[in-house]
Amino acid sequence: MNDLVQRTVTGCIYVALLIAGTAIHPVVFAVIFAAMLFFTQLEFYQLVENAGSSPRKHVGLTLGLLLFGTCFGMVHGFIPQNAFLIFIPVLTILFLFETFRDNSKEIQNSSVTLTGFVYVAVPFSLLNFIVYPDYPETPEFFPWILMGVFFIVWVYDSMAYLVGSMFGKHKINEKISPNKTWEGFTAGAIFALVMGVLNAVIFQEPDIINWIIIAVIVVAFGTLGDLFESKIKRKLNVKDSGSVLPGHGGLLDRLDSLLFVIPVIYVWLTFSGNL
C-alpha cells in the first residue's frame, strides 16, 4: 500500500476512534481512553527496556489504570473526592520495591517506572475532569472542550507536517528532530489559532479568549511534547515508539504532544474558572 494512502487510512481510523471515545457515552470514553493509556504506557516501558532499564511494567501499568479508574469514579461520585491521595504513599512504596531486587540499577528502574506513570497515566487521568467540567457540583458529561482540544491538535500537527514537508528549510533542532522546521511550526500555529476561533463558534463555551489561549498552549506545549519524545527516540536510536498504527508508528508517536498539552490545559481551565 502506498505510504500516503496507508498513513491516511490509519489516521482516519485513529481520529474516528478518539471522536467515538470522546462523544458517544461516558462508558465508551472510559473504555477507549483506559485502553489507550495502557498501550501508550506499555510502549514507553518497552522503549526504555530496549535501552537496558528494567521498569516494573506490571506495577506501573496497574497503577496507571487504577489512577484513571479512580478519577473516573471520583467524577461520577462512586468514590470520595480525595481518593487520589492514596497514590502518594503507593508511589513512595514503589521505590522501596527496588531494594529487594537483585539489580544494580535500583534507582534508575524505579525512576523510569515512575516516569511512565507521570508521563502517560497522569495526563490521561486528567481527561476525566476535562469532560466533567462542573465536577464536583454536577456530574454532567460535557465532552466538547476535549473534542475542541483534539481538533486544534490535529489541525496543528497536520498543517505543520504538510507545510514543513513541502516548504520547510529552517530546522527547529536538527539534532533532536531533523524533520521539524520553523516553516511547519509557523503554519501549524496559524491554523491552530484559526481552529481555536472556530471552536468558540462551534461549541460556544468556553469563550473565544479561552479557546485562543488553549490554542497557544497546544502550539507551545505540543511542540515541546513532540520534541521530548523525539529526544527519547534519538537517544535510543529508534524511528518509532511502536507499530500499532501503520504509517504513523506507535500510540506514543501520535499522543506525545497531547501528553504535555493536557495537564497545562487542565491547569488553565481550573485557574480560569472553566473547571
Side-chain angles (χ1 to χ4, degrees):
M1 184 184 293
N2 179 277
D3 184 63
L4 180 59
V5 174
Q6 184 184 60
R7 184 180 178 89
T8 301
V9 171
T10 304
C12 289
I13 295 173
Y14 166 75
V15 167
L17 188 64
L18 284 185
I19 290 176
T22 304
I24 292 179
H25 190 273
V27 175
V28 179
F29 163 83
V31 171
I32 288 180
F33 284 99
M36 295 188 77
L37 182 162
F38 179 86
F39 288 109
T40 304
Q41 193 174 352
L42 178 61
E43 279 188 5
F44 173 80
Y45 287 144
Q46 290 172 337
L47 276 178
V48 296
E49 275 186 329
N50 293 335
S53 295
S54 299
R56 296 185 65 87
K57 288 191 298 185
H58 300 302
V59 174
L61 292 169
T62 300
L63 287 177
L65 288 177
L66 284 175
L67 178 62
F68 186 91
T70 297
C71 293
F72 184 77
M74 287 170 59
V75 297
H76 284 85
F78 301 153
I79 57 178
Q81 293 180 22
N82 58 356
F84 68 93
L85 293 175
I86 191 64
F87 287 89
I88 296 176
V90 168
L91 292 174
T92 302
I93 294 171
L94 175 62
F95 279 91
L96 297 179
F97 284 157
E98 293 298 338
T99 62
F100 299 100
R101 300 180 75 187
D102 186 16
N103 194 311
S104 61
K105 298 181 179 180
E106 293 89 351
I107 300 299
Q108 177 182 322
N109 294 335
S110 292
S111 297
V112 294
T113 303
L114 181 59
T115 298
F117 177 83
V118 174
Y119 178 38
V120 179
V122 170
F124 268 103
S125 299
L126 290 176
L127 295 179
N128 286 285
F129 301 103
I130 293 178
V131 297
Y132 282 89
D134 292 329
Y135 168 81
E137 285 77 15
T138 306
E140 181 181 354
F141 186 60
F142 186 82
W144 310 120
I145 296 177
L146 180 58
M147 184 75 77
V149 172
F150 285 155
F151 287 167
I152 296 173
V153 171
W154 293 334
V155 166
Y156 171 66
D157 286 344
S158 298
M159 297 310 301
Y161 173 78
L162 290 173
V163 174
S165 299
M166 293 187 292
F167 306 107
K169 294 181 179 179
H170 301 87
K171 308 295 184 180
I172 295 178
N173 191 319
E174 192 166 6
K175 291 182 178 180
I176 296 179
S177 185
N179 296 324
K180 296 206 171 30
T181 64
W182 285 110
E183 289 84 358
F185 171 82
T186 302
I190 292 172
F191 279 92
L193 290 171
V194 171
M195 191 68 242
V197 173
L198 290 176
N199 279 345
V201 176
I202 296 170
F203 301 116
Q204 298 299 306
E205 56 180 282
D207 60 28
I208 189 170
I209 299 299
N210 278 286
W211 275 118
I212 290 174
I213 292 173
I214 288 172
V216 171
I217 290 172
V218 167
V219 171
F221 288 89
T223 302
L224 290 174
D226 200 7
L227 291 173
F228 177 76
E229 201 237 353
S230 295
K231 178 74 171 181
I232 293 174
K233 292 190 295 185
R234 295 284 283 185
K235 285 290 185 182
L236 301 180
N237 196 30
V238 297
K239 182 178 183 295
D240 297 315
S241 65
S243 57
V244 69
L245 299 173
H248 291 263
L251 282 170
L252 189 58
D253 294 316
R254 292 301 90 212
L255 294 166
D256 52 5
S257 57
L258 268 173
L259 296 179
F260 271 46
V261 163
I262 291 300
V264 182
I265 287 179
Y266 169 77
V267 170
W268 168 255
L269 291 174
T270 300
F271 284 166
S272 63
N274 290 288
L275 288 183

